[in-house]
Amino acid sequence: MSYKKFIASKTRKMQPAGFDPATINPMLFDWQASVVRWAVRRGRAAIFADCGLGKTPMQLEWAASVVRQTGGRVIVHCPVGVRQQTKREAEKFCLDVPVSVVDEQSQVRDGISLVNYEKLHRLDASSFVGVVLDESSILKSLDGKTRRQLTEAYKDTQYRLACSATPAPNDYMEIGNQCEWLGVMRREEMLATFFVHDGGETSKWRLKGHATADFWEWLSSWCVFMRRPSDIGFGDDGYHLPKLNYIDHVLDHGRPQQGMLFSMPASTLADRRNARKETASERIEFVADLVNRSDGPWVCWVNLNNEGEELTAAIDGAVEIAGRHTDTYKEDQLSAFAEGRVRVLVTKPRICGFGMNWQHVCRTAIYPTDSWEQWYQMVRRFWRYGQTRDVEVHCVLSELETTVLDNIRSKEREADEMIAGVVSAMRESSIHELRRDRFQDSYKPTQRVKVPSWLQNASTVDAAKTGCSIAATAAT
């Protein structure tokens, strides 16, 4: 090993493992093309870009570059319903590499294959030279077994790309899962290098004070984190969000809890779940009346199976997508809704909350829970770049659940502050990474140093014994 390689092996920055793309789709914006070039040169990278910034065309162009360079095949894993949308994006951007939707290995053809996460066990991962995880934040929510399967299946795949809009900036386990899947560093190694346990709780980690700057610089060597183009040094023309209006509908519970003179807000998660069940009929009646009295498309988000069934029956022309339905049914109904053939969609956030682009919708009804990530994903299906109208979010809940809204709004403010801090901390490093062509060593030896006489004498003795010799001079 040369001295230069030895020094490079000690750096915490991820070394490039990709190639220079020969061409980039001219339909991409300049900043999108810059991100794609960077990701292709990295070989294994992550694009954490906010909703509506074009992660789908960027990941498709990344995959197409790998296909052109290697002549091999690339697999893209998507949430249910997203792969048909991704195929439409490939046609929209005139991708010059074939894109096909598959359910098993026998259907895989040359080019890019789109498959749902649930079909991983039907594929031969070794047959692909590249892999993309669309909505890769799913690594956090997947059970440990499936997450290990994804990591194990693609541990030898040369080219890997993770794409997500919502890697939680304060969830270091999720960041660790993403970098471990990419092969950058094991999660445990990342935690040991940059973090310490916060107090006596082993599940909580805090950045080491002296390692903060190094952590963000290391992060920018394998991922780009952006809310808008200016976060990576480009202009924001055309990237301004319309107004977001929260409209809260707090329904009278009508009967106090046992032993209480007045209805009191539920204080525990169990109490809030019970309150939702007790007030289901009132909330269903209210939302059905709200939607039936209006025109245009709606999405109604529910949490319980009976809520979905009863609300669908109460709304004229509504279609439900639930866990009991087949993937084919889900994809057909999602396509019908995206094309305007279905006016009202009723579903759960864990089923359709990830990856869908519904800028044609500007009104939604939500039965909120304490999950900020689900809230973010539900709202961001509509309030995203490309939306031209103000968005109305109707929050429907009983007076027992008002603490839920307080909790969600508090988490929303904290998340905005955290994400702004992350982007600010990574901005300079990200711009530097995106604008340079190759990793450059700053170390350039210019002086030759003479080996000390005592070492020369020792080497002469050793040479006499072993028949070996060393050079009298060395470059440093």
Side-chain angles (χ1 to χ4, degrees):
M1 178 186 293
S2 69
Y3 188 67
K4 185 175 290 189
K5 289 184 177 179
F6 173 75
I7 291 296
S9 70
K10 297 300 182 181
T11 183
R12 287 295 179 187
K13 285 191 175 182
M14 178 185 170
Q15 302 304 309
F19 55 88
D20 286 305
T23 61
I24 291 292
N25 192 328
M27 294 183 69
L28 295 179
F29 292 118
D30 54 354
W31 59 268
Q32 291 174 329
S34 179
V35 171
V36 172
R37 288 193 193 94
W38 168 83
V40 172
R41 288 168 181 151
R42 289 282 116 186
R44 298 195 299 273
I47 300 175
F48 299 148
D50 211 346
C51 299
L53 287 176
K55 287 185 298 298
T56 299
M58 286 192 283
Q59 72 186 27
L60 284 170
E61 183 59 24
W62 181 93
S65 295
V66 173
V67 171
R68 297 187 204 106
Q69 175 75 12
T70 66
R73 297 170 174 176
V74 174
I75 186 75
V76 179
H77 286 279
C78 308
V80 172
V82 177
R83 57 182 182 170
Q84 296 292 348
Q85 176 179 273
T86 301
K87 188 168 177 24
R88 291 194 294 269
E89 286 289 290
E91 296 168 355
K92 174 183 174 181
F93 281 83
C94 304
L95 208 68
D96 60 354
V97 169
V99 178
S100 55
V101 173
V102 305
D103 291 309
E104 57 186 28
Q105 187 64 33
S106 62
Q107 299 173 345
V108 174
R109 301 290 182 267
D110 290 344
I112 302 171
S113 297
L114 310 175
V115 66
N116 293 336
Y117 279 103
E118 292 78 9
K119 308 292 176 60
L120 172 64
H121 63 285
R122 299 184 183 180
L123 299 172
D124 176 11
S126 65
S127 66
F128 302 102
V129 297
V131 56
V132 178
L133 296 190
D134 186 13
E135 297 297 335
S136 60
S137 62
I138 203 169
L139 285 171
K140 177 181 69 173
S141 58
L142 288 176
D143 61 87
K145 178 182 177 181
T146 308
R147 185 170 61 240
R148 287 194 298 271
Q149 286 178 339
L150 277 169
T151 303
E152 181 66 23
Y154 297 108
K155 67 179 183 179
D156 297 322
T157 305
Q158 183 173 359
Y159 303 107
R160 290 171 244 172
L161 182 69
C163 295
S164 174
T166 58
N170 63 330
D171 191 338
Y172 300 121
M173 291 297 186
E174 180 185 349
I175 292 175
N177 290 339
Q178 304 250 14
C179 79
E180 183 168 344
W181 180 81
L182 288 169
V184 177
M185 184 184 291
R186 291 178 63 247
R187 181 182 61 188
E188 293 78 7
E189 184 182 357
M190 180 201 79
L191 293 173
T193 302
F194 298 106
F195 298 86
V196 293
H197 287 303
D198 204 1
E201 299 183 58
T202 58
S203 62
K204 292 186 177 181
W205 296 82
R206 175 175 51 82
L207 264 173
K208 297 175 182 176
H210 66 275
T212 301
D214 290 337
F215 174 73
W216 297 123
E217 186 176 358
W218 168 77
L219 205 60
S220 66
S221 72
W222 60 270
C223 78
V224 59
F225 207 127
M226 57 186 296
R227 301 164 303 170
R228 56 184 69 90
S230 60
D231 291 335
I232 56 173
F234 291 85
D236 287 334
D237 292 345
Y239 283 89
H240 300 284
L241 289 169
K243 188 177 180 181
L244 177 63
N245 299 309
Y246 289 138
I247 304 172
D248 299 336
H249 305 279
V250 181
L251 309 184
D252 183 7
H253 184 249
R255 52 191 179 277
Q257 300 98 318
Q258 185 176 1
M260 295 290 181
L261 184 60
F262 304 102
S263 295
M264 300 294 292
S267 58
T268 68
L269 289 174
D271 290 340
R272 289 198 278 271
R273 282 194 294 268
N274 291 333
R276 290 186 200 110
K277 292 179 181 179
E278 292 175 3
T279 60
S281 59
E282 291 91 340
R283 289 184 287 106
I284 289 169
E285 181 181 355
F286 183 90
V287 171
D289 181 65
L290 181 68
V291 175
N292 284 331
R293 287 189 290 105
S294 63
D295 297 323
W298 279 77
V299 175
C300 301
W301 302 98
V302 299
N303 303 301
L304 306 173
N305 290 333
N306 67 301
E307 286 179 344
E309 294 170 4
E310 294 177 24
L311 188 59
T312 303
I315 297 176
D316 299 333
V319 170
E320 182 189 12
I321 295 180
R324 65 182 181 275
H325 295 134
T326 65
D327 288 353
T328 300
Y329 175 85
K330 293 173 184 175
E331 291 179 339
D332 288 345
Q333 296 303 324
L334 285 170
S335 294
F337 180 68
E339 294 166 5
R341 292 182 282 116
V342 169
R343 185 179 82 90
V344 181
L345 184 67
V346 179
T347 189
K348 294 181 180 180
R350 68 168 181 254
I351 295 175
C352 296
F354 290 84
M356 303 307 301
N357 301 333
W358 289 332
Q359 288 99 327
H360 72 293
V361 182
C362 65
R363 287 176 294 186
T364 183
I366 296 177
Y367 298 149
T369 68
D370 289 279
S371 172
W372 177 82
E373 183 178 17
Q374 286 189 357
W375 174 272
Y376 178 91
Q377 289 287 0
M378 289 186 289
V379 172
R380 284 295 182 144
R381 296 311 97 215
F382 329 100
W383 192 58
R384 57 196 291 130
Y385 295 115
Q387 175 64 264
T388 58
R389 296 168 293 174
D390 293 346
V391 173
E392 294 181 2
V393 178
H394 294 263
C395 310
V396 182
L397 69 167
S398 76
E399 60 183 337
L400 302 184
E401 301 174 84
T402 53
T403 52
V404 173
L405 279 183
D406 295 337
N407 189 24
I408 286 292
R409 302 285 160 77
S410 175
K411 289 180 179 179
E412 189 172 41
R413 288 191 296 270
E414 291 175 0
D416 288 342
E417 292 172 2
M418 289 179 186
I419 293 174
V422 170
V423 171
S424 177
M426 292 181 61
R427 189 174 188 275
E428 289 189 13
S429 295
S430 295
I431 292 174
H432 179 63
E433 288 287 342
L434 287 170
R435 291 189 175 180
R436 67 181 181 180
D437 291 339
R438 290 287 187 183
F439 176 84
Q440 298 289 335
D441 283 324
S442 59
Y443 176 72
K444 295 180 180 180
T446 59
Q447 183 178 2
R448 298 183 68 85
V449 179
K450 189 171 182 178
V451 177
S453 58
W454 62 268
L455 184 56
Q456 294 185 45
N457 293 337
S459 64
T460 302
V461 173
D462 289 341
K465 292 179 179 178
T466 63
C468 300
S469 62
I470 64 172
T473 58
T476 62

